[in-house]
Every structure is written in C-alpha cells, then in structure tokens.
C-alpha cells in the first residue's frame, strides 16, 4: 500500500492508483475532462491539475500515480488560477451557444464553466479566426468541430474500444483537430455509427442526429398512425436520464409515458427479438445440417449474429470475405419495421402508407440501419425514425410528464408480447443464451441443462467468452447432432470482435456460432444510452436486464404467443419464403478507410 | 577575436583515436563509467540540463533485458545548428559516445533520431556508421546503431514525443512519470541524450572527470558548443568554457550595438542590455542548449516576440489546453495590444497566463513558452505597446 496526504488527510491506496483516484477515495472532488473510466489516460486537458509539494510544476492528477509520502493540495490559489485559465482557454476556442446546443445542461464543459468561468471572459475570442466545420453526413450523429475541446476521448474510444480509428488527431498547434481519413465526411469512412464516441464526448461536439421534431410532427398528424417499438436495453437505462440510479428498471412507466406522448400503439422490440431467435436459430440448425449431414463444404460456418448494425458495418468494411458467415436475419428493429407495415397493418386494418414506425433504441447505428436501402421490404421505409434512449428522455421532459409518478402500463398488442429471452438481447451473451434456450429445446425436446435457464457461462463482462454445450438425447429429426459439441463464442466491443475475427481468418476459431455486439457490454452499453456510461453503470444495467428476465413468466422465445401466432397466420414457419422476403437481408462490401 | 577573456576550448572537435578511447571504455565497468560522468558534473546539452551521470545510473539500475540509448539529433530549437556540425565533423565520436553510454546502461541498441532537414547528411553518416560498426566489432564489443529520420515537427525533439515518432505514432509527448529511464523507446528503459552530450561524455571518459571540472562553474561544469547568430559580425559555432556573463559574450560577439540576447532559442530567455553584466550563461543563470541570438537596436522586439509566438502556435503539438490555446492567446493578445485594439493592461493578464502555462502545460514546450514571453514583455514593454 502507498501512503500519501491529500489536503492534509492521510490515505492509503494500492500501487498504481492515480492521485485522482486517491482523492476520490477521500471524497475530494477534482474536476476532469479528458479522463474517462473506459479509456486509457490522456492527461491532455489539464483541468485536473493539483499541487504536489516539492514539484516544479503542477501535476495532472488523472495521469500521475500516487507515490509514498506524496503531499497533494487540490485547491490552492495556484491550482485555482491555473484551472480557471484552462477553462477560459477552452471556452475561447469554443462556440458557446448553449441555448441552442443539444448538450445544454448535460455538458461537462458547461458545468466546469459554471464553476470556474462565469462572468466576463478573460481572453479573446478565437472562434472567429477558425474555420470550424460541421459534418452532418452521418445519419447517426453530427460532428461539430466548433464545440470540440480536443480531449481525444472520441479518438481513444474509436481505437481502444472499437479498433476502427475512423477518427484521429490531425494537424498540430492551433490547427490541431479531430479528423477522419483525409477529412472525408463521416458517412464515407470506416465509421460504424456505433456512437461510442458520442457517448463519451464531454461536449456537444459529437451528438446523435435527432429526429425528435419529426416524431412530434407525426404524432400530431391526425392522418398518421404512429407505432413505437422499444428495444430491450432502453427500459433498464432510460431512468438514468430521468433522475433514477443506474440499474433501475422503468419498463411500465416508460410504456405509460409513450402512451402519454401520444403514440398510437406502444409495442415491443422484444417481440421481434423472439422472432429473431426463431429465424436465426433455425438458420443455424439448417447450416449445421447442411454441413454435417449433406457434407456441403460451402456452408459458411461459424455463423455470426447480425442484430448489431455497428458490427454489420464493421465486418462489411474490415472482413468482407466473411459476409456469407453472417446470419441473413435482420436485426429485431428491422424485422419489427417490416412487419409493422405488413402484418400489423393488415391485422389492424390500417393503410400502411399512413403508418409511421418509430423505434426507441440504445443505439445510434440503428439510425443508419433504418436508412439502408435494403430495409424497405414492406414497400415503404420499414422504420421511419430511430430515437435513442436519450432522445426519448428529452421527449418525456418536453411533454412535462411527471415520470416518477406515472402508473405502470403494459404494451399494446399486437407485437407487444415479450419473453425473458428477448429481454436479455440487451446484454452481451443474451442473444446466444436466448438462441440456446430455444435451439437446444428444438433439438433435444428438453430445456437447456442450466439451473433456472440461466446460461451463466455466456454472461458477464469478459470481452471474449467461449462455451460449449454437448447435445445429447436428440429428437429424431435432429439425430444427426447426437453427441455433437456445439461450440460458441461471444464478443462485445469491436476491439474484441476483431480478436475473434482474426482467429476466424487464421482458421483458429473452432466455433459454430458467434455472437457479436458492437458496443461494450452489448446494447446496455450502446452509443445511444444515457451519458455517462462506464463499467459500473453497464454492470448495473446488466443486472437489471437479468432480473427483468427472471421476473418474466415466459422466458423462451418459442413460447411467445404472438410469435406462435404470426407463424400460424402469416409467416408459415421459420425461414419460410415469406420470412425471407420480410425478415432476412443481404450485406454489401465496403471500402476500408 | 583575441583578448576577450572568453576561454575557447577544443574538446568536442578534438582529434582523438576513437578506437583507443573505446577500447579503454569497454574495459571499464559500467559503474566506473557512470562514476566518471557523475564526477564530471556533466549536464545534458539538449536544453533541459539533467545530470547525464544520473540519467545513466537510473537507466542502468532498471532490470530489463532490452534497453535503448537514443541520440537526440532533432536539433529543432530555433537558432541551434551545432549538432549538425558535430555530426558532420565527428560523427565517430557521436557513435562512440552512444556505445559508451550503451555500456554504462546495459543497452546493445542505439538509435539516432536525425532532424528531417539533415537527411542530406545520411549517405555520409551511413558510411561512417559502417566503419564504426566494424571497428567496435574488432574491439570485440557488441553494439548496434540505427538511424531514424524526423519529419520536421519541433515537438519531436521532446524525448517522449520522439519515442512516439520512432514507434510510428503521432509525435505527442507522453505523461511523465514514467520517465524514459524506466519506460522509454518501445516502453523499454532508455537513456536519451543530446548529440553533444554523448560526445562530451566520451571525452570525459578519455580525459577524466578531473580534467573536465577544471572548466566552468560549480553549477555548469566544463565547456559547450554555442551556435551564435543574429546581429553579429562573427556568426558560427564556438566551443566555450561555461560560466561567462552575457556581457563577456557580447563583448566578443556583439556588433557594438547589442540591445538584447536571446539565450536558449525560442524556449529560452531574452536578456536585455541592462542585465548583461549580472547574467551568467549557464544553469545558475540562463541555461542554453547552445542557441545564442544577438539583437541590435535596429530590431523590433515586438517582431522578435511575434516570431517566437508564431513559432509556438504552429509547433505546439496541440494536445494540451494550456499550450495549444495559450499560445494562440498570447499571439493574438500581443497583436491586439500592438494595434491598440486591446488595452495595454491586457498584457498583465497575458503575463499571468504565461505563468499558468509554465506550471500547467504537459511538456517542456508549453512550459517554456512563458520564458521568452515574460522576458521580452517584461523588459521591452514599451516596444510591445507602441
Ligand atoms: C519541445 C522540445 C524540443 C526539444 N528538442 C530537442 C532537440 O532538438 N534536441 C535535443 O537534444 N533535445 C531536445 N529537447 C530536450 C529533450 O526532451 C531531452 O531533454 C534531451 O534530448 C535530453 O538529452 P540531454 O540530457 O543530453 O540534454 C527538446 C525538449 C522539448 C520540450
Ligand atoms: S457544448 Fe456545452 S458549453 Fe458548448 S454550447 Fe454546448 S452545452 Fe454549451
Ligand atoms: S461512431 Fe463508432 S466507429 Fe464511428 S467514429 Fe464514433 S466510435 Fe468510431
Ligand atoms: S469530439 Fe468530443 S470527445 Fe472528441 S475530442 Fe472533441 S470534445 Fe473530445
Ligand atoms: S505543452 Fe504543448 S507541445 Fe507539450 S504536450 Fe502540451 S500541447 Fe503538446
Ligand atoms: S482529466 Fe486529467 S488531464 Fe484531463
């Protein structure tokens, strides 16, 4: 243990602990900007400077490990003056038009300005000399350089967590900026639209592209029937933007709030998640059968999940030779969209051209996905508008709802029914677990051999998880799988996806089925989730997801009554012709820059 | 140049038998080498002035099978051109100094990071390096040197940015600690030394520390090479004993009308005429990596300052706030004051900003911008305002 003194208080910490963390242990707050728990230390904003006795300069507390006998003061005149200067300097380069900024009141720079730089600015305005540009090319987010404080969180996110480096630091000195490859528009680089950078940006320099006004317009248009679907991960995170602690489930209140906002029908992406399991599970079994029984050597195995549009774009850019390994299933969002304007329209007797289909997602990549030209199976744009969890919170605030005191409500029907298997889609390993719960039962006629259906080996925050399941006692139709060992792997965060893809490419991946989610922790850690998101918060949300699952009566996708019904009435059977038309898709190869 | 009281020294460019000195050095233990250099009081000639013996000692104490000795030949400080001359005339001694340092710290590999603009020297240096490699092989010593080219950014002379650059990354300074002696090039313990430092160390091994400490003062031992430029009838490279005052220096090199001397380049200090007599050139006064620029009364100190600020505004790596934005503010601030668009009292705010930059910037670049700024504004305020 290392002993040091901060503001005259003694504290002992593990070797390697930063001064910042040591101070936190004493509940001494030191402001930060470039620091983020998910990322490596940058030490570039310098807001966290403190005074170390005997040191020539101030030290950056986030970047300096505590050493034995260190004496630190966090709030001396020297520190305050320098810190005020730093905040003033940042503001002088920054277009501070808070009142029209999406991050107003949820901005780390603004909070610091409130503390350290209210009143007249000391320094000259530099913004007028800069030729800042705004990149609106991505359907998912806006990059506004005039709001950027060069903390490089986004750059670190994109390279460390996502292994993409779609954005990097360019130029030096006064011209330094965050740029894409050759300054190309974000829509024309390897960016996966995952929004992880957006989630970590402390200012309004990276924000999702919002469609709130369009959604309001649709709601108020008496001619339109507006359906909304909510992704599983939204219900365990939305509360954070409305004053709840991370990890509190607000499903019922959220449903009620959506009704109050005026959506005509409040439905659940869980329904199409269950459908995904039926389609994808069947697809996997068919591929296995082709490979094992028919001896078809062209079958693409391992099969990869396809519900994470960030991951889809990643593989399209980086490993296009493996596109045939992707499940052809659309993501639950897009399955839902395709059915909303076909099956739902028919059942509810509504003209599909009058349906506006909105989805609430933990994800910014879903905005891009909804815009893909492939996603018009219904003859219309299957999903019209995608809002993030954060945008929904904004709408709830705009409407003045007293969220905390709302009654709990339940989803409408049809396409509002859910199972626990669908809920866990929101966490890494969840799709795999849901698929196993169903596929194992199809093949063996028995439930998965795990206590209370909880397939714990696929759960948790390890970046890459592996498991295998021995298939014994098959029912007759699947007897060719008797004794087979189904090998699976799971990765979340594209840096981990890349690890697996390298193995696959080298031929060192002995798996049959691989689940990949673009975001750390899966959708609970999605780019559209409340800010901040970090490991502890992801863990809390994950816990909430699994408790939601355990509290459900139905916990296996094939038991979802609405899923059973749709096959009977509309789709016939999994992977049927109709399914393929509406629920499956194809992928495109993309440039790698 | 007679009769000036300045003591010219011939150490760096002294003709020696390299092989003999190296053979002697390789017979010494690393402790003996380090002790000699420690006793000599040699401080780094790259600008920061860290005791070379200490640097070697720390690096030698690290337990790592792989270590590096890096020779900093980026020579980016405005007004310095002595390392070029040293490499041109006595590259063997640079390579020799690296081998000796390698022996002291336990490194088998050396890297010379050569300023991009010096690429034209590379063919000649390669030939000399080949014969050097042959020579140490003959002595029976295993050591290998490689050259890496810089690409024109001043910041890449900063040691940790230099490592990043060699590693193929963007040249941005790292957080310290860890220091290079613990985690330097490729995160291995590394001693990084200036070209001149390495040659001086080799000469200390040859002549002994006792000989070296005859020259200079307690805080600034020995002699060093100066790059003299500006308003002087005799620009060029001069090896002088340390410890002289600016007045002695100006007496020798000035044109009779010197009003200020910028000691240590853009990151150094501006000494005005009234302080010539009391200011010692060295670590007890104004330190310098070698750059000495004289200004006579025809020069506008506003222009001089503007030039330096322009330089820093461009050459800051841009990663940390105090330096990236601070430089722009200082530059724009003096422009506005000069034009009468800001009050002259605004200079006081800028002086405070320069203080903050000194203590809050991440690396030596941002920390030293205030040196030139404060010494020029402090001493020539009227020239900035009017
Ligand atoms: C911005 C900046 C530029 C530097 N440029 C050089 C340089 O060109 N050459 C050099 O030897 N040292 C340079 N230094 C100093 C090095 O960081 C380092 O201290 C030096 O190479 C150590 O060698 P020494 O101890 O032999 O002086 C620079 C430092 C800074 C902060
Ligand atoms: S980024 Fe923050 S400080 Fe800047 S305008 Fe937006 S809310 Fe205000
Ligand atoms: S959205 Fe994702 S891929 Fe695109 S720049 Fe941000 S972190 Fe990188
Ligand atoms: S875009 Fe945001 S995260 Fe990236 S450097 Fe700018 S302020 Fe930081
Ligand atoms: S002080 Fe300047 S050069 Fe050094 S790290 Fe900061 S911005 Fe870069
Ligand atoms: S938070 Fe420590 S330097 Fe930015």
């Amino acid at each position: 243990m290392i002993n040091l003194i901060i503001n005259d208080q003694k504290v002992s910490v593990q070797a390697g602990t930063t001064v910042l963390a040591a101070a936190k242990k004493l509940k001494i707050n030191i402001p930060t900007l470039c620091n983020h728990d998910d990322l490596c230390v940058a030490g570039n904003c310098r807001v966290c400077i403190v005074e170390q006795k005997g040191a020539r300069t101030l030290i950056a507390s986030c970047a300096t490990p505590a050493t034995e006998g260190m004496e630190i003061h966090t709030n001396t005149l020297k520190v305050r003056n320098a810190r005020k200067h730093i905040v003033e300097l940042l503001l002088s380069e920054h277009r501070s038009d808070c009142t029209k900024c999406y991050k107003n009141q949820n901005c780390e720079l603004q909070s610091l300005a409130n503390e350290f730089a209210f009143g007249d600015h000391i320094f000259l305005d530099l913004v007028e000399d800069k030729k800042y540009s705004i990149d609106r090319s991505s359907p998912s987010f806006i990059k506004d350089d005039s709001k950027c404080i060069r903390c490089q969180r986004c750059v670190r996110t994109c390279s460390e967590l996502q292994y993409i480096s779609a954005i990097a630091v360019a130029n030096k000195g006064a011209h330094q900026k965050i740029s894409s490859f050759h300054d190309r528009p974000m829509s024309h680089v390897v960016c996966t639209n995952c929004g992880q950078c957006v989630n970590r940006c402390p200012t309004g320099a990276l924000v999702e592209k919002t469609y709130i006004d369009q959604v309001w317009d649709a709601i108020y248009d008496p001619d339109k029937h507006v359906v909304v679907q909510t992704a599983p991960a939204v219900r365990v995170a939305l509360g954070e933007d409305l004053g709840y602690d991370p990890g509190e489930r607000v499903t019922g209140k959220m449903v009620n709030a959506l009704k109050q906002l005026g959506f005509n029908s409040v439905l659940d992406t869980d329904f199409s998640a269950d459908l995904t399991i039926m389609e994808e599970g069947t697809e996997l079994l068919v591929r296995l059968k082709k490979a094992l029984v028919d001896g078809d050597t062209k079958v693409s195995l391992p099969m990869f999940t396809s519900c994470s549009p960030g991951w889809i774009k990643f593989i399209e850019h980086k490993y296009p030779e493996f596109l045939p390994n992707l499940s052809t299933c659309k993501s639950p969002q897009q399955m839902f969209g395709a059915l909303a304007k076909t099956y739902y329209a028919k059942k509810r007797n509504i003209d599909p051209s009058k349906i506006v289909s909105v989805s609430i997602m933990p994800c910014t990549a879903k905005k891009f996905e909804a815009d893909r030209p492939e996603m018009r199976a219904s003859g219309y744009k299957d999903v019209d508008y995608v809002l993030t969890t954060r945008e929904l919170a904004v709408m709830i605030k705009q409407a003045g709802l007293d969220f905390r005191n709302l009654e709990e409500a339940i989803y409408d029907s049809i396409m509002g029914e859910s199972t626990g298997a669908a809920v866990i889609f929101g966490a890494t390993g969840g799709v795999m677990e849901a698929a196993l719960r169903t596929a194992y039962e199809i093949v063996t006629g028995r439930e998965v051999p795990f206590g209370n259906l909880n397939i714990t080996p696929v759960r948790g925050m390890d970046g890459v998880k592996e498991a295998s399941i021995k298939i014994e006692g098959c029912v007759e139709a699947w007897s060719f799988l008797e004794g087979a060992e189904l090998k699976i792997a799971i990765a979340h965060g594209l840096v981990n996806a890349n690890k697996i893809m390298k193995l696959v490419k080298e031929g060192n991946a002995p798996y049959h089925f691989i689940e990949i989610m673009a975001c750390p922790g899966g959708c609970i850690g999605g780019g559209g989730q409340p800010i901040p998101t970090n490991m502890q918060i992801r863990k809390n949300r994950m816990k909430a997801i699994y408790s939601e699952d355990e509290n459900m009566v139905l916990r296996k996708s094939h038991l979802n009554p609405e899923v059973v019904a749709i096959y009977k009435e509309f789709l016939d059977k999994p992977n049927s012709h109709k399914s393929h038309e509406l629920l499956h898709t194809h992928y495109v190869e993309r440039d790698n820059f | 140049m007679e009769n000036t009281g300045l003591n010219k020294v011939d150490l760096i460019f002294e003709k020696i038998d390299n092989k003999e000195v190296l053979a002697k050095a390789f017979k010494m233990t690393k402790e003996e080498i380090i002790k000699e250099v420690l006793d000599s009081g040699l401080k780094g000639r790259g600008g920061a002035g860290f005791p070379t013996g200490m640097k070697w000692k720390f690096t030698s104490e690290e337990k790592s099978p792989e270590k590096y000795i890096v020779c900093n030949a980026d020579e980016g400080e405005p007004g310095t051109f002595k390392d070029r001359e040293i490499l041109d005339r006595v590259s063997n001694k640079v390579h020799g100094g690296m081998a000796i340092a390698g022996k002291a710290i336990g490194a088998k590999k050396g890297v010379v990071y050569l300023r991009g603009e010096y690429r034209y020297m590379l063919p000649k240096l390669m030939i000399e390096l080949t014969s050097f490699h042959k020579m140490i092989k003959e002595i029976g010593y295993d050591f290998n040197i490689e050259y890496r080219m810089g690409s024109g950014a001043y910041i890449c002379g900063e040691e940790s940015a230099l490592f990043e650059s060699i590693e193929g990354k963007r040249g941005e300074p790292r957080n310290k600690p860890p220091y290079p002696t613990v985690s330097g090039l490729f995160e291995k313990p590394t001693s990084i030394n200036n070209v001149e430092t390495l040659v001086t160390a080799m000469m200390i091994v040859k002549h002994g520390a006792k000989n070296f400490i005859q020259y200079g003062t307690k805080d600034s031992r020995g002699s060093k090479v100066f790059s003299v430029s500006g308003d002087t009838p005799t620009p060029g490279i001069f090896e002088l004993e340390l410890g002289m005052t600016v007045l002695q220096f100006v007496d020798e090199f000035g044109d009779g009308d010197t009003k200020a001397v910028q000691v240590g380049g853009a990151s150094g200090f501006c000494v005005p005429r009234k302080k010539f007599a009391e200011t010692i050139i060295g670590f007890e006064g104004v330190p310098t990596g070698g750059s000495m620029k004289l200004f006579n009364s025809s020069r506008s100190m506003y222009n001089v300052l503007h030039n330096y600020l322009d330089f820093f505004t461009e050459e800051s790596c841009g990663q940390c706030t105090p330096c990236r934005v601070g430089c722009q503010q200082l530059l724009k601030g003096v422009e506005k004051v000069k034009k009468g668009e800001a009050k002259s009292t605004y200079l006081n705010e800028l002086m405070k900003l320069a203080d903050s930059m000194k203590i809050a910037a991440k690396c030596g670049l941002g920390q030293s911008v205030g040196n030139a700024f404060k010494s020029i504004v402090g001493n020539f305020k009227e020239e900035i305002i009017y």
Side-chain angles (χ1 to χ4, degrees):
Chain A
M1 290 301 259
I2 284 176
N3 305 293
L4 68 161
I5 299 173
I6 306 180
N7 296 354
D8 303 320
Q9 302 173 57
K10 286 190 185 140
V11 62
S12 301
V13 293
Q14 298 267 306
T17 308
T18 62
V19 172
L20 178 67
K24 195 174 250 167
K25 208 170 162 190
L26 289 171
K27 301 221 160 26
I28 294 171
N29 181 47
I30 301 173
T32 57
L33 266 181
C34 65
N35 192 62
H36 193 288
D37 291 348
D38 284 342
L39 305 172
C40 79
V41 169
N44 60 28
C45 76
R46 314 305 285 175
V47 163
C48 70
I49 41 166
V50 296
E51 195 165 341
Q52 179 188 357
K53 193 172 167 195
R56 190 173 48 90
T57 63
L58 301 176
I59 59 166
S61 57
C62 73
T64 310
T67 51
E68 186 62 38
M70 218 176 202
E71 264 183 63
I72 299 287
H73 286 276
T74 68
N75 206 12
T76 61
L77 184 64
K78 225 163 141 182
V79 169
R80 281 200 75 81
N81 283 341
R83 193 174 284 152
K84 180 175 172 62
H85 274 153
I86 288 167
V87 177
E88 291 272 0
L89 288 174
L90 286 172
L91 292 174
S92 75
E93 258 193 336
H94 178 89
R95 179 169 287 131
S96 304
D97 48 8
C98 300
T99 50
K100 58 180 212 187
C101 182
Y102 185 59
K103 290 296 278 293
N104 197 3
Q105 306 211 1
N106 186 16
C107 169
E108 295 179 45
L109 178 64
Q110 192 185 47
S111 318
L112 271 179
N114 276 336
E115 280 176 55
F116 293 98
F118 48 81
D120 288 340
H121 290 320
I122 305 175
F123 301 121
L124 301 166
D125 180 22
L126 298 172
V127 179
E128 52 185 40
D129 312 334
K130 309 235 170 204
K131 293 184 200 77
Y132 285 131
S133 57
I134 303 184
D135 182 348
R136 295 190 166 86
S137 65
S138 160
S140 299
F141 62 93
I142 297 170
K143 174 172 174 280
D144 178 351
D145 290 350
S146 72
K147 304 256 194 278
C148 172
I149 55 164
R150 283 83 161 170
C151 66
Q152 301 186 27
R153 277 192 195 171
C154 54
V155 173
R156 284 174 282 150
T157 300
C158 198
S159 72
E160 290 167 26
L161 303 182
Q162 301 300 64
Y163 197 77
I164 297 168
S165 294
I167 42 178
V169 181
N171 308 336
K172 57 183 165 53
H175 313 289
Q176 192 236 35
K177 64 169 193 168
I178 310 303
S179 177
S180 55
F181 180 74
H182 279 247
D183 240 346
R184 293 163 66 110
M186 289 311 295
S187 56
H188 284 75
V189 292
V190 286
C191 171
T192 66
N193 301 302
C194 70
Q196 286 301 314
C197 56
V198 174
N199 198 293
R200 283 172 189 75
C201 179
T203 71
L206 289 168
V207 295
E208 64 265 37
K209 200 176 252 181
T210 80
Y211 298 89
I212 293 174
D213 287 340
Q214 289 87 330
V215 171
W216 279 125
D217 285 349
I219 287 174
Y220 286 116
D221 186 339
D223 226 26
K224 298 283 190 228
H225 179 88
V226 189
V227 299
V228 63
Q229 54 168 317
T230 62
V234 175
R235 64 205 69 185
V236 296
L238 174 68
E240 290 165 40
D241 270 353
L242 298 165
Y244 288 78
D245 286 334
E248 291 203 42
R249 293 185 273 142
V250 294
T251 318
K253 289 185 194 293
M254 173 185 73
V255 171
N256 192 351
L258 288 163
K259 292 182 176 180
Q260 308 271 340
L261 294 181
F263 288 100
N264 299 88
S265 199
V266 180
L267 305 175
D268 202 347
T269 314
D270 284 11
F271 160 76
S272 49
D274 281 330
L275 203 55
T276 303
I277 290 303
M278 301 307 291
E279 293 291 326
E280 197 164 288
T282 306
E283 186 183 0
L284 174 67
L285 291 174
V286 168
R287 287 198 198 197
L288 288 175
K289 179 163 188 288
K290 277 194 188 151
L292 296 177
V293 180
D294 312 341
D296 183 344
T297 50
K298 287 206 280 300
V299 185
S300 296
L301 286 170
M303 187 172 96
F304 307 137
T305 57
S306 59
C307 20
S308 167
W311 148 242
I312 297 297
K313 194 153 182 278
F314 176 86
I315 183 172
E316 287 178 330
H317 283 293
K318 302 255 179 194
Y319 295 93
E321 67 273 32
F322 289 103
L323 290 180
N325 293 58
L326 277 173
S327 158
T328 58
C329 289
K330 286 180 183 170
S331 72
Q333 160 173 283
Q334 293 305 139
M335 287 197 182
F336 190 102
L339 293 171
K341 295 190 182 180
T342 54
Y343 174 67
Y344 174 89
K346 206 157 110 192
K347 290 268 287 188
R348 297 282 305 266
N349 203 13
I350 301 166
D351 174 358
S353 73
K354 299 219 175 346
I355 293 181
V356 175
S357 150
V358 176
S359 63
I360 314 292
M361 293 285 140
C363 178
T364 55
K366 297 270 180 205
K367 292 177 190 265
F368 165 82
E369 183 185 40
D371 276 1
R372 288 180 72 121
E374 301 88 19
M375 301 303 169
R376 293 172 165 270
S378 63
Y380 305 90
K381 193 172 181 237
D382 293 337
V383 175
D384 293 286
Y385 303 114
V386 179
L387 304 184
T388 59
T389 309
R390 297 189 290 266
E391 286 170 274
L392 174 58
V394 171
M395 286 186 78
I396 290 171
K397 288 180 197 160
Q398 286 176 334
L401 298 183
D402 179 5
F403 190 83
R404 215 170 252 282
N405 293 315
L406 286 180
E407 297 282 327
E408 311 228 333
I410 55 165
Y411 284 99
D412 293 320
S413 178
I414 50 171
M415 296 176 31
E417 195 66 67
S418 166
T419 71
V423 169
I424 58 174
F425 262 58
T428 167
V431 177
M432 184 61 73
E433 180 164 350
L436 289 177
R437 285 186 194 168
T438 289
Y440 190 88
E441 203 163 316
I442 292 178
V443 171
T444 65
R446 285 173 283 119
E447 287 193 334
V448 279
F450 289 91
N452 200 18
L453 294 178
N454 296 340
I455 310 183
T456 42
V458 304
R459 296 187 180 185
M461 284 297 184
D462 291 345
V464 174
K465 292 169 277 188
E466 295 176 296
S468 63
I469 217 175
K470 188 130 186 153
I471 302 178
E472 282 165 324
C474 292
V475 298
E476 187 153 338
W478 299 99
S479 55
F480 64 92
L481 285 174
E482 187 62 42
E485 188 155 290
L486 185 68
K487 292 197 167 133
I488 55 173
I490 294 145
H492 55 115
L494 291 171
V495 71
N496 296 314
N498 193 65
K499 284 182 196 154
I500 287 206
M501 287 312 293
K502 263 171 83 179
L503 292 178
V504 171
K505 196 165 177 165
E506 294 160 5
N508 290 328
Y511 313 114
H512 301 104
F513 190 32
I514 301 177
E515 177 206 292
I516 296 184
M517 296 291 162
C519 293
C523 304
I524 47 154
Q529 292 284 53
I531 297 170
T533 293
N534 57 36
M535 184 55 101
Q536 191 51 51
I537 291 176
R538 282 191 295 271
K539 282 185 176 159
N540 290 357
R541 292 179 191 156
M542 185 180 263
K543 221 168 134 198
I545 282 266
Y546 287 117
S547 77
E548 181 104 350
D549 168 33
E550 294 225 25
N551 280 301
M552 309 273 293
V553 182
L554 301 175
R555 296 183 56 211
K556 293 178 284 195
S557 297
H558 55 276
L559 297 185
N560 184 324
E562 289 190 340
V563 168
V564 174
I566 197 174
Y567 280 116
K568 212 189 244 152
E569 300 167 10
F570 187 67
L571 293 171
D572 186 19
K573 61 179 195 312
N575 292 11
S576 69
H577 184 70
K578 187 108 191 161
S579 298
H580 267 284
E581 230 167 59
L582 291 173
L583 309 182
H584 291 250
T585 185
H586 60 273
Y587 308 103
V588 292
E589 184 170 345
R590 294 176 198 269
D591 292 333
N592 189 11
F593 48 68
Chain B
M1 276 185 279
E2 308 86 48
N3 193 22
T4 62
L6 286 194
N7 188 9
K8 304 247 171 56
V9 183
D10 182 26
L11 193 69
I12 297 292
F13 300 106
E14 184 192 340
K15 288 256 173 305
I16 56 165
D17 182 343
N18 262 299
K19 195 168 175 177
E20 189 188 301
V21 181
L22 287 176
K24 172 183 170 189
F26 295 152
K27 277 192 209 103
M28 293 164 76
T29 64
K30 62 180 195 172
E31 289 79 13
E32 284 166 349
I33 297 176
I34 290 171
K35 181 167 187 306
E36 207 62 37
V37 177
L38 271 176
D39 288 350
S40 76
L42 171 64
K43 290 181 181 170
R45 299 308 195 212
F50 192 82
T52 307
M54 300 280 271
K55 199 183 271 189
W56 290 7
K57 184 164 177 282
F58 293 152
T59 320
S60 80
E61 282 164 2
E62 286 299 314
K63 288 182 186 44
S64 166
E66 234 181 303
K67 296 182 189 179
Y68 290 99
I69 166 80
V70 173
C71 169
N72 191 341
D74 195 48
E75 197 160 50
E77 193 62 56
T80 349
F81 37 88
K82 45 118 190 156
D83 292 341
R84 181 186 61 191
E85 184 91 358
I86 295 171
L87 279 162
D88 196 36
R89 287 170 51 190
V90 291
S91 73
N92 264 327
K93 287 164 84 170
V94 179
H95 300 149
M98 289 175 76
I100 292 171
K103 165 104 197 197
I105 66 169
K108 297 274 168 232
K109 278 191 205 147
V111 181
V112 181
Y113 188 82
L114 187 65
R115 181 180 161 96
E117 286 85 341
Y118 296 171
R119 183 180 284 278
Y120 73 94
M121 297 168 71
L122 207 53
K124 177 167 166 260
L125 288 168
M126 283 298 116
I127 295 168
E128 288 161 357
L129 181 63
T130 307
S131 52
F132 174 80
H133 278 147
K134 218 168 96 199
M135 177 186 54
I136 54 169
K137 212 175 196 163
E138 281 165 21
I139 308 177
Y141 190 72
D142 169 28
F143 186 72
N144 196 69
I145 294 175
E146 237 183 275
Y147 273 74
R148 291 299 184 91
M149 297 306 300
S151 52
Y154 171 60
I155 192 57
C156 288
E158 195 279 337
E159 52 200 22
S160 61
L162 187 152
F163 300 147
E164 293 282 299
S165 171
I166 293 180
E167 292 174 19
K169 295 181 245 163
R170 185 182 153 83
E172 278 185 358
R174 299 175 180 167
N175 290 302
K176 291 178 207 166
Y179 292 96
T181 52
V182 175
S183 172
L185 185 59
F186 297 111
E187 282 160 43
K188 303 285 181 253
T190 302
S191 174
I192 175 165
N193 297 98
N194 173 257
V195 171
E196 183 186 349
T197 310
L198 290 162
V199 176
T200 311
M202 180 172 187
M203 298 309 286
I204 288 167
V205 168
K206 174 174 162 56
H207 295 299
K210 278 218 182 70
N211 182 64
F212 191 72
I213 58 174
Q214 289 174 46
Y215 299 106
T217 65
K218 188 167 113 324
D219 288 325
S220 310
R221 295 287 187 207
S223 54
K224 94 168 293 312
V225 182
F226 290 85
S227 313
V228 182
S229 67
D231 297 317
T232 168
T234 51
I237 306 274
F238 302 89
E239 192 173 357
L240 304 170
E241 178 177 358
L242 286 167
M244 68 198 134
T245 62
V246 179
L247 185 62
Q248 286 172 297
F249 178 85
V250 168
D251 281 347
E252 166 111 16
F253 294 101
D255 62 0
D257 183 28
T258 307
K259 84 166 163 189
V261 182
Q262 181 75 16
V263 183
S267 58
F269 295 86
C270 184
V271 183
R273 185 182 290 147
K274 61 176 185 280
K275 293 184 187 154
F276 283 175
E278 69 194 55
T279 309
I280 292 176
I281 301 170
F283 297 104
E284 55 272 76
V286 283
T288 173
S291 172
M292 301 292 290
K293 204 170 184 114
L294 296 92
F295 299 109
N296 67 20
S297 59
S298 74
R299 304 290 165 186
S300 148
M301 294 314 286
Y302 170 79
N303 287 346
V304 169
L305 177 62
H306 192 275
N307 242 321
Y308 288 144
L309 292 176
D310 223 18
F311 172 80
F312 284 126
T313 304
E314 294 296 319
E315 293 302 329
S316 152
C317 82
Q319 72 162 310
C320 80
T321 315
C323 173
R324 180 189 68 249
V325 199
C327 289
Q328 297 173 63
Q329 286 293 351
L330 294 181
L331 177 61
K332 189 165 177 176
V334 295
E335 282 175 353
K336 289 261 176 193
V337 168
K338 186 76 177 174
K339 283 193 212 141
E341 290 169 12
K343 288 205 196 109
S344 60
T345 49
Y346 185 53
L347 287 177
N348 301 335
E349 295 298 339
L350 296 182
M351 292 290 257
K352 285 190 227 156
L353 170 60
D355 284 333
S356 289
M357 291 167 71
K358 221 182 180 89
I359 54 174
K362 181 166 174 174
C363 87
L365 190 152
Q367 288 165 8
S368 59
V369 174
N371 297 347
F373 184 86
K374 291 194 74 184
S375 55
I376 296 179
V377 173
N379 292 308
F380 299 95
K381 204 167 188 168
E382 61 295 340
E383 286 194 46
I384 307 301
I385 299 172
Y386 303 109

